[in-house]
Amino acid sequence: FAARHNRVEIVKLLILNGADLKARSKRQQTALDWAKSSKAHESYAIIKEALQKQKKERRENRKKRRMERRRR
């Protein structure tokens, strides 16, 4: 709802509180899909940035775990 209706402050709040950005609706659409199809440009940009940040963090965490395993 927030992404689809470009409710930017709510989108930010949901992200800060750990919303699952990859969750899908009954129509199999993510928040990013809804924002894009609804032309909610600000919400789209915020969600896309958050997804990229999560991806980067996952990559860094995997790298740290590999380094820790090598030290053992």
Side-chain angles (χ1 to χ4, degrees):
F1 180 86
R4 186 176 184 188
H5 296 283
N6 208 35
R7 303 292 303 270
V8 175
E9 293 304 318
I10 296 173
V11 169
K12 289 179 183 179
L13 183 65
L14 289 167
I15 291 168
L16 285 173
N17 285 288
D20 180 1
L21 299 176
K22 293 185 176 185
R24 294 186 176 271
S25 68
K26 291 179 186 176
R27 294 183 180 176
Q28 296 301 308
Q29 290 192 311
T30 64
L32 189 66
D33 296 329
W34 281 111
K36 184 176 182 180
S37 66
S38 301
K39 295 181 176 49
H41 302 293
E42 289 177 82
S43 290
Y44 180 85
I46 291 166
I47 296 166
K48 187 170 183 175
E49 182 181 328
L51 284 166
Q52 290 170 340
K53 183 179 176 184
Q54 287 178 355
K55 185 176 181 179
K56 182 180 177 183
E57 288 171 355
R58 281 193 307 272
R59 231 181 291 130
E60 289 171 355
N61 288 336
R62 279 194 302 264
K63 186 177 179 179
K64 285 180 187 177
R65 285 194 303 269
R66 277 191 300 247
M67 295 297 283
E68 287 174 4
R69 278 189 238 134
R70 289 179 186 168
R71 287 185 213 150
R72 293 179 190 172

Coordinates of all heavy atoms in Angstrom, one line a residue:
F1 N 0.8 -1.2 0.0 CA 0.0 0.0 0.0 C 0.9 1.3 0.0 O 0.7 2.1 -0.8 CB -0.9 0.0 1.2 CG -1.8 1.2 1.3 CD1 -3.0 1.2 0.6 CD2 -1.5 2.3 2.0 CE1 -3.8 2.3 0.6 CE2 -2.3 3.4 2.1 CZ -3.5 3.4 1.4
A2 N 1.8 1.3 0.9 CA 2.7 2.5 1.0 C 3.5 2.8 -0.2 O 3.5 3.9 -0.7 CB 3.6 2.4 2.2
A3 N 4.0 1.7 -0.8 CA 4.8 1.8 -2.0 C 3.9 2.2 -3.2 O 4.3 3.1 -4.0 CB 5.6 0.5 -2.3
R4 N 2.8 1.6 -3.3 CA 1.9 1.8 -4.4 C 1.4 3.2 -4.4 O 1.1 3.8 -5.5 CB 0.7 0.8 -4.3 CG -0.2 0.8 -5.5 CD -1.2 -0.3 -5.3 NE -2.1 -0.3 -6.5 CZ -3.2 -1.0 -6.5 NH1 -3.5 -1.8 -5.6 NH2 -3.9 -1.0 -7.6
H5 N 1.1 3.8 -3.2 CA 0.5 5.1 -3.1 C 1.6 6.2 -2.8 O 1.2 7.3 -2.4 CB -0.6 5.1 -2.1 CG -1.7 4.2 -2.5 ND1 -2.6 4.6 -3.5 CD2 -2.1 3.0 -2.1 CE1 -3.5 3.6 -3.7 NE2 -3.2 2.6 -2.9
N6 N 2.9 5.8 -3.0 CA 4.0 6.8 -2.8 C 4.0 7.5 -1.4 O 4.2 8.6 -1.3 CB 4.0 7.8 -3.9 CG 5.4 8.4 -4.2 OD1 6.4 7.6 -4.1 ND2 5.5 9.6 -4.5
R7 N 3.7 6.7 -0.4 CA 3.7 7.2 1.0 C 5.1 7.0 1.5 O 5.5 6.1 2.2 CB 2.7 6.4 1.8 CG 1.2 6.4 1.3 CD 0.6 7.8 1.5 NE 0.6 8.3 2.8 CZ -0.3 8.1 3.7 NH1 -1.4 7.4 3.4 NH2 -0.2 8.6 4.9
V8 N 5.9 8.0 1.1 CA 7.4 7.9 1.3 C 7.8 7.7 2.8 O 8.6 6.9 3.1 CB 8.1 9.2 0.7 CG1 9.6 9.2 1.0 CG2 7.8 9.2 -0.8
E9 N 7.2 8.5 3.6 CA 7.5 8.4 5.1 C 7.2 7.0 5.6 O 8.0 6.5 6.4 CB 6.8 9.5 5.9 CG 7.3 10.9 5.5 CD 8.8 11.1 5.7 OE1 9.4 10.6 6.7 OE2 9.5 11.7 4.8
I10 N 6.1 6.5 5.2 CA 5.7 5.1 5.7 C 6.7 4.1 5.1 O 7.1 3.2 5.8 CB 4.2 4.8 5.3 CG1 3.3 5.8 6.1 CG2 3.9 3.4 5.6 CD1 1.9 5.7 5.7
V11 N 7.0 4.2 3.8 CA 8.0 3.3 3.2 C 9.3 3.3 4.0 O 9.8 2.3 4.3 CB 8.2 3.7 1.7 CG1 9.4 2.9 1.2 CG2 7.0 3.4 0.9
K12 N 9.8 4.5 4.3 CA 11.0 4.7 5.1 C 10.9 4.0 6.5 O 11.8 3.3 6.9 CB 11.4 6.1 5.3 CG 11.9 6.8 4.0 CD 12.2 8.3 4.2 CE 12.7 9.0 3.0 NZ 12.9 10.4 3.2
L13 N 9.8 4.2 7.1 CA 9.6 3.7 8.4 C 9.5 2.1 8.4 O 10.1 1.5 9.2 CB 8.2 4.2 9.0 CG 7.9 3.8 10.4 CD1 8.9 4.3 11.4 CD2 6.5 4.3 10.8
L14 N 8.9 1.6 7.4 CA 8.8 0.2 7.2 C 10.2 -0.4 7.0 O 10.5 -1.5 7.6 CB 7.9 -0.2 6.1 CG 6.4 0.0 6.3 CD1 5.6 -0.1 5.0 CD2 5.9 -1.0 7.4
I15 N 11.0 0.2 6.2 CA 12.3 -0.3 5.9 C 13.2 -0.2 7.2 O 13.9 -1.2 7.5 CB 13.0 0.6 4.8 CG1 12.3 0.2 3.4 CG2 14.5 0.3 4.7 CD1 12.6 1.2 2.3
L16 N 13.1 0.9 7.9 CA 13.8 1.0 9.1 C 13.5 -0.1 10.2 O 14.3 -0.4 11.0 CB 13.6 2.4 9.8 CG 14.4 3.5 9.1 CD1 13.9 4.9 9.7 CD2 15.9 3.4 9.2
N17 N 12.2 -0.5 10.1 CA 11.8 -1.5 11.1 C 11.9 -2.9 10.5 O 11.2 -3.9 11.0 CB 10.3 -1.2 11.5 CG 10.3 0.0 12.5 OD1 10.8 -0.2 13.6 ND2 9.9 1.1 12.0
G18 N 12.6 -3.1 9.4 CA 12.9 -4.4 8.9 C 11.9 -5.1 8.0 O 11.8 -6.3 8.0
A19 N 11.1 -4.3 7.3 CA 10.1 -4.9 6.4 C 10.8 -5.8 5.4 O 11.9 -5.5 4.9 CB 9.4 -3.8 5.7
D20 N 10.2 -6.9 5.0 CA 10.7 -7.8 4.0 C 10.4 -7.2 2.7 O 9.3 -7.3 2.2 CB 10.1 -9.2 4.2 CG 10.6 -10.2 3.2 OD1 11.5 -9.9 2.4 OD2 10.1 -11.3 3.2
L21 N 11.5 -6.6 2.0 CA 11.3 -6.0 0.7 C 11.1 -7.0 -0.4 O 10.8 -6.6 -1.5 CB 12.5 -5.0 0.5 CG 12.7 -3.9 1.5 CD1 13.9 -3.1 1.2 CD2 11.4 -3.0 1.5
K22 N 11.3 -8.2 -0.1 CA 11.2 -9.2 -1.2 C 9.8 -10.0 -1.0 O 9.6 -10.9 -1.8 CB 12.3 -10.2 -1.2 CG 13.6 -9.6 -1.6 CD 14.7 -10.6 -1.6 CE 16.0 -9.9 -2.2 NZ 17.1 -10.9 -2.4
A23 N 9.1 -9.6 0.0 CA 7.7 -10.3 0.1 C 6.9 -10.0 -1.1 O 7.0 -8.9 -1.7 CB 7.1 -9.7 1.4
R24 N 6.0 -11.0 -1.4 CA 5.2 -10.8 -2.6 C 3.7 -10.8 -2.2 O 3.3 -11.5 -1.3 CB 5.5 -12.0 -3.6 CG 6.9 -11.9 -4.1 CD 7.2 -12.9 -5.2 NE 8.5 -12.7 -5.8 CZ 8.7 -11.9 -6.8 NH1 7.7 -11.2 -7.4 NH2 9.9 -11.8 -7.3
S25 N 2.9 -10.1 -3.0 CA 1.5 -10.0 -2.8 C 0.9 -11.3 -3.4 O 1.5 -12.1 -4.0 CB 1.0 -8.8 -3.5 OG 1.1 -8.9 -4.9
K26 N -0.5 -11.3 -3.4 CA -1.2 -12.4 -4.0 C -0.9 -12.5 -5.5 O -1.0 -13.5 -6.1 CB -2.7 -12.3 -3.7 CG -3.1 -12.6 -2.3 CD -4.5 -12.4 -2.1 CE -4.9 -12.5 -0.6 NZ -6.3 -12.2 -0.4
R27 N -0.7 -11.3 -6.1 CA -0.4 -11.2 -7.5 C 1.1 -11.4 -7.8 O 1.6 -11.1 -8.9 CB -0.8 -9.9 -8.0 CG -2.3 -9.7 -8.0 CD -2.7 -8.4 -8.6 NE -4.1 -8.2 -8.5 CZ -4.8 -7.2 -8.9 NH1 -4.1 -6.1 -9.3 NH2 -6.1 -7.1 -8.8
Q28 N 1.9 -11.8 -6.8 CA 3.3 -12.1 -6.9 C 4.1 -10.9 -7.2 O 5.2 -10.9 -7.8 CB 3.6 -13.2 -8.0 CG 3.0 -14.5 -7.6 CD 3.5 -15.1 -6.3 OE1 4.7 -15.1 -6.1 NE2 2.7 -15.4 -5.4
Q29 N 3.6 -9.7 -6.7 CA 4.4 -8.5 -6.9 C 5.0 -8.0 -5.6 O 4.4 -8.2 -4.5 CB 3.5 -7.3 -7.4 CG 3.0 -7.6 -8.8 CD 2.4 -6.3 -9.4 OE1 1.5 -5.7 -8.8 NE2 2.8 -5.9 -10.6
T30 N 6.3 -7.5 -5.7 CA 7.0 -7.0 -4.5 C 6.6 -5.5 -4.4 O 6.0 -4.9 -5.3 CB 8.5 -7.1 -4.7 OG1 8.9 -6.3 -5.8 CG2 8.9 -8.5 -4.9
A31 N 7.0 -4.9 -3.3 CA 6.8 -3.5 -3.1 C 7.4 -2.7 -4.2 O 6.9 -1.7 -4.7 CB 7.4 -3.0 -1.8
L32 N 8.6 -3.1 -4.7 CA 9.3 -2.4 -5.8 C 8.4 -2.5 -7.1 O 8.3 -1.5 -7.8 CB 10.7 -3.0 -6.0 CG 11.6 -2.3 -7.0 CD1 11.9 -0.9 -6.5 CD2 12.8 -3.1 -7.3
D33 N 7.8 -3.7 -7.3 CA 7.0 -3.8 -8.5 C 5.8 -2.9 -8.4 O 5.4 -2.3 -9.4 CB 6.5 -5.3 -8.6 CG 7.6 -6.3 -8.8 OD1 8.6 -5.9 -9.5 OD2 7.4 -7.4 -8.4
W34 N 5.2 -2.8 -7.2 CA 4.0 -2.0 -7.0 C 4.3 -0.5 -7.2 O 3.6 0.2 -7.9 CB 3.4 -2.2 -5.7 CG 2.5 -3.4 -5.5 CD1 2.8 -4.5 -4.8 CD2 1.3 -3.6 -6.2 NE1 1.8 -5.4 -5.0 CE2 0.8 -4.9 -5.8 CE3 0.4 -2.9 -7.0 CZ2 -0.4 -5.5 -6.2 CZ3 -0.8 -3.4 -7.4 CH2 -1.1 -4.7 -7.0
A35 N 5.5 -0.1 -6.7 CA 5.9 1.3 -6.8 C 6.1 1.6 -8.3 O 5.7 2.7 -8.8 CB 7.2 1.6 -6.0
K36 N 6.8 0.7 -9.0 CA 7.1 1.0 -10.4 C 5.8 1.0 -11.3 O 5.6 2.0 -12.0 CB 8.0 -0.2 -11.0 CG 8.4 0.1 -12.4 CD 9.4 -1.0 -12.8 CE 9.8 -0.8 -14.3 NZ 10.8 -1.8 -14.7
S37 N 4.9 0.1 -11.1 CA 3.7 0.0 -11.9 C 2.7 1.2 -11.6 O 1.9 1.6 -12.4 CB 2.9 -1.3 -11.7 OG 2.5 -1.5 -10.4
S38 N 2.8 1.7 -10.3 CA 2.0 2.9 -9.9 C 2.7 4.2 -10.2 O 2.1 5.2 -9.8 CB 1.7 2.7 -8.4 OG 1.0 1.5 -8.2
K39 N 3.9 4.2 -10.8 CA 4.6 5.4 -11.0 C 4.9 6.2 -9.8 O 4.9 7.4 -9.8 CB 3.9 6.2 -12.1 CG 3.9 5.6 -13.5 CD 3.2 6.4 -14.5 CE 3.2 5.9 -15.9 NZ 2.8 4.5 -16.1
A40 N 5.1 5.5 -8.7 CA 5.5 6.1 -7.4 C 7.0 6.2 -7.3 O 7.7 5.4 -6.7 CB 4.9 5.2 -6.2
H41 N 7.5 7.2 -8.1 CA 8.9 7.3 -8.3 C 9.8 7.4 -7.0 O 10.8 6.8 -6.9 CB 9.2 8.5 -9.2 CG 8.5 8.4 -10.6 ND1 8.8 7.4 -11.5 CD2 7.5 9.1 -11.1 CE1 8.0 7.5 -12.5 NE2 7.2 8.5 -12.3
E42 N 9.3 8.2 -6.1 CA 10.1 8.4 -4.8 C 10.2 7.1 -4.1 O 11.2 6.7 -3.6 CB 9.5 9.5 -4.0 CG 9.7 10.9 -4.5 CD 9.0 11.9 -3.6 OE1 9.6 12.3 -2.6 OE2 7.8 12.3 -4.0
S43 N 9.0 6.4 -3.9 CA 9.0 5.1 -3.2 C 9.9 4.1 -3.9 O 10.6 3.4 -3.3 CB 7.6 4.6 -3.1 OG 6.9 5.4 -2.2
Y44 N 9.8 4.1 -5.2 CA 10.6 3.2 -6.0 C 12.1 3.4 -5.8 O 12.8 2.4 -5.5 CB 10.3 3.4 -7.5 CG 11.1 2.5 -8.4 CD1 10.6 1.2 -8.7 CD2 12.3 2.9 -9.0 CE1 11.4 0.3 -9.5 CE2 13.0 2.0 -9.8 CZ 12.6 0.7 -10.1 OH 13.3 -0.1 -10.9
A45 N 12.5 4.6 -5.8 CA 13.9 4.9 -5.6 C 14.4 4.5 -4.2 O 15.5 3.9 -4.0 CB 14.2 6.4 -5.8
I46 N 13.6 4.8 -3.2 CA 13.9 4.4 -1.8 C 14.0 2.9 -1.6 O 15.0 2.4 -1.0 CB 12.9 5.0 -0.8 CG1 13.0 6.5 -0.8 CG2 13.0 4.4 0.6 CD1 11.8 7.3 -0.2
I47 N 13.0 2.2 -2.2 CA 13.0 0.7 -2.0 C 14.2 0.1 -2.8 O 14.9 -0.8 -2.3 CB 11.7 0.1 -2.5 CG1 10.6 0.6 -1.6 CG2 11.8 -1.4 -2.6 CD1 9.2 0.4 -2.2
K48 N 14.5 0.6 -4.0 CA 15.6 0.1 -4.8 C 16.9 0.3 -4.1 O 17.7 -0.6 -4.0 CB 15.6 0.8 -6.2 CG 16.6 0.2 -7.1 CD 16.5 0.7 -8.5 CE 17.5 0.0 -9.4 NZ 17.3 0.3 -10.8
E49 N 17.1 1.5 -3.5 CA 18.3 1.8 -2.7 C 18.4 0.9 -1.5 O 19.5 0.3 -1.2 CB 18.3 3.2 -2.3 CG 19.5 3.6 -1.5 CD 19.5 5.1 -1.1 OE1 18.9 5.9 -1.8 OE2 20.1 5.4 0.0
A50 N 17.3 0.6 -0.8 CA 17.4 -0.3 0.3 C 17.7 -1.7 -0.1 O 18.5 -2.4 0.6 CB 16.0 -0.2 1.1
L51 N 17.2 -2.2 -1.2 CA 17.5 -3.5 -1.7 C 19.0 -3.6 -2.0 O 19.6 -4.6 -1.7 CB 16.6 -3.8 -2.9 CG 15.2 -4.2 -2.6 CD1 14.3 -4.2 -3.8 CD2 15.1 -5.6 -1.9
Q52 N 19.5 -2.6 -2.7 CA 20.9 -2.6 -3.0 C 21.8 -2.6 -1.8 O 22.8 -3.3 -1.7 CB 21.3 -1.4 -3.9 CG 20.7 -1.5 -5.3 CD 20.8 -0.2 -6.1 OE1 21.0 0.9 -5.5 NE2 20.7 -0.3 -7.4
K53 N 21.4 -1.8 -0.8 CA 22.1 -1.8 0.5 C 22.1 -3.2 1.2 O 23.1 -3.7 1.6 CB 21.5 -0.8 1.4 CG 22.2 -0.6 2.7 CD 21.6 0.5 3.6 CE 22.3 0.6 4.9 NZ 21.7 1.5 5.8
Q54 N 20.9 -3.8 1.2 CA 20.8 -5.2 1.8 C 21.7 -6.2 1.0 O 22.4 -7.0 1.6 CB 19.4 -5.6 1.7 CG 18.5 -5.0 2.7 CD 17.0 -5.5 2.6 OE1 16.7 -6.2 1.7 NE2 16.2 -5.0 3.5
K55 N 21.7 -6.0 -0.3 CA 22.6 -6.9 -1.1 C 24.0 -6.8 -0.8 O 24.8 -7.7 -0.6 CB 22.3 -6.7 -2.6 CG 23.0 -7.6 -3.5 CD 22.6 -7.4 -5.0 CE 23.3 -8.3 -5.9 NZ 22.9 -8.1 -7.3
K56 N 24.4 -5.5 -0.7 CA 25.8 -5.2 -0.3 C 26.2 -5.7 1.1 O 27.3 -6.3 1.2 CB 26.1 -3.7 -0.4 CG 27.5 -3.3 -0.1 CD 27.6 -1.8 -0.1 CE 29.1 -1.4 0.2 NZ 29.2 0.1 0.2
E57 N 25.3 -5.6 2.0 CA 25.5 -6.1 3.4 C 25.6 -7.6 3.4 O 26.5 -8.1 4.1 CB 24.4 -5.6 4.3 CG 24.5 -4.1 4.6 CD 23.3 -3.6 5.4 OE1 22.3 -4.4 5.6 OE2 23.3 -2.4 5.8
R58 N 24.8 -8.3 2.6 CA 24.9 -9.7 2.6 C 26.2 -10.2 2.0 O 26.8 -11.1 2.5 CB 23.7 -10.3 1.7 CG 22.4 -10.4 2.4 CD 21.4 -11.2 1.7 NE 21.2 -10.8 0.3 CZ 20.3 -9.9 -0.1 NH1 19.6 -9.3 0.7 NH2 20.2 -9.6 -1.4
R59 N 26.6 -9.5 1.0 CA 27.9 -9.8 0.3 C 29.1 -9.6 1.3 O 29.9 -10.5 1.5 CB 28.2 -8.9 -0.9 CG 28.5 -9.7 -2.1 CD 28.8 -8.8 -3.3 NE 27.5 -8.1 -3.8 CZ 27.4 -6.8 -4.0 NH1 28.4 -6.0 -3.9 NH2 26.3 -6.3 -4.4
E60 N 29.0 -8.5 2.1 CA 30.1 -8.2 3.0 C 30.1 -9.3 4.2 O 31.1 -9.7 4.6 CB 29.9 -6.8 3.6 CG 30.3 -5.7 2.6 CD 29.9 -4.3 3.1 OE1 29.3 -4.2 4.1 OE2 30.2 -3.4 2.3
N61 N 28.9 -9.6 4.6 CA 28.8 -10.6 5.7 C 29.3 -12.0 5.2 O 30.0 -12.7 6.0 CB 27.3 -10.8 6.2 CG 26.9 -9.6 7.0 OD1 27.7 -8.9 7.6 ND2 25.6 -9.4 7.0
R62 N 29.0 -12.4 4.0 CA 29.5 -13.7 3.5 C 31.1 -13.6 3.4 O 31.7 -14.6 3.8 CB 29.0 -13.9 2.1 CG 27.6 -14.5 2.1 CD 27.2 -15.1 0.7 NE 27.3 -14.1 -0.4 CZ 26.3 -13.4 -0.8 NH1 25.1 -13.6 -0.3 NH2 26.4 -12.6 -1.8
K63 N 31.6 -12.5 3.0 CA 33.0 -12.3 2.9 C 33.7 -12.4 4.3 O 34.7 -13.1 4.5 CB 33.4 -10.9 2.3 CG 34.8 -10.7 2.0 CD 35.1 -9.4 1.4 CE 36.6 -9.2 1.1 NZ 36.8 -7.9 0.5
K64 N 33.1 -11.8 5.3 CA 33.6 -11.9 6.7 C 33.5 -13.3 7.2 O 34.5 -13.8 7.8 CB 32.7 -11.0 7.6 CG 33.0 -9.5 7.5 CD 32.1 -8.7 8.4 CE 32.2 -7.3 8.2 NZ 31.3 -6.5 9.1
R65 N 32.5 -14.0 6.9 CA 32.4 -15.4 7.4 C 33.4 -16.3 6.7 O 34.0 -17.1 7.4 CB 31.0 -16.0 7.1 CG 29.9 -15.5 8.0 CD 28.6 -16.3 7.9 NE 28.1 -16.4 6.6 CZ 27.2 -15.5 6.1 NH1 26.7 -14.5 6.9 NH2 26.7 -15.7 4.9
R66 N 33.7 -16.1 5.4 CA 34.7 -16.8 4.7 C 36.1 -16.5 5.4 O 36.9 -17.5 5.6 CB 34.8 -16.5 3.2 CG 33.8 -17.2 2.4 CD 34.0 -17.1 1.0 NE 34.0 -15.7 0.6 CZ 33.0 -15.1 -0.2 NH1 32.1 -15.9 -0.7 NH2 33.0 -13.8 -0.4
M67 N 36.4 -15.3 5.7 CA 37.6 -14.9 6.3 C 37.8 -15.5 7.7 O 38.9 -16.0 8.0 CB 37.8 -13.4 6.4 CG 37.8 -12.7 5.0 SD 39.2 -13.1 4.1 CE 40.5 -12.2 4.9
E68 N 36.7 -15.6 8.4 CA 36.7 -16.2 9.7 C 37.0 -17.7 9.6 O 37.8 -18.2 10.4 CB 35.4 -15.9 10.5 CG 35.3 -14.5 11.0 CD 33.9 -14.2 11.6 OE1 33.1 -15.2 11.7 OE2 33.7 -13.0 11.9
R69 N 36.4 -18.3 8.7 CA 36.6 -19.8 8.5 C 38.1 -20.1 8.1 O 38.7 -21.0 8.6 CB 35.7 -20.3 7.4 CG 34.4 -20.6 7.9 CD 33.6 -21.4 6.9 NE 32.4 -20.6 6.7 CZ 31.9 -20.3 5.5 NH1 32.4 -20.7 4.4 NH2 30.8 -19.5 5.3
R70 N 38.7 -19.2 7.3 CA 40.1 -19.4 6.9 C 41.0 -19.2 8.1 O 42.1 -19.9 8.1 CB 40.5 -18.4 5.8 CG 39.8 -18.7 4.5 CD 40.2 -17.7 3.5 NE 39.4 -17.9 2.2 CZ 39.4 -17.0 1.3 NH1 40.0 -15.9 1.4 NH2 38.7 -17.3 0.2
R71 N 40.7 -18.4 9.1 CA 41.5 -18.2 10.2 C 41.6 -19.4 11.1 O 42.5 -19.6 11.9 CB 41.1 -17.0 11.0 CG 41.4 -15.7 10.3 CD 41.0 -14.5 11.2 NE 40.6 -13.4 10.4 CZ 39.7 -12.5 10.7 NH1 39.2 -12.5 11.9 NH2 39.4 -11.5 9.9
R72 N 40.6 -20.2 11.1 CA 40.4 -21.3 12.0 C 41.3 -22.4 11.7 O 42.0 -22.9 11.1 CB 39.0 -21.9 12.0 CG 38.1 -20.9 12.6 CD 36.7 -21.5 12.6 NE 35.7 -20.4 12.9 CZ 34.4 -20.5 12.9 NH1 33.9 -21.7 12.5 NH2 33.6 -19.6 13.2

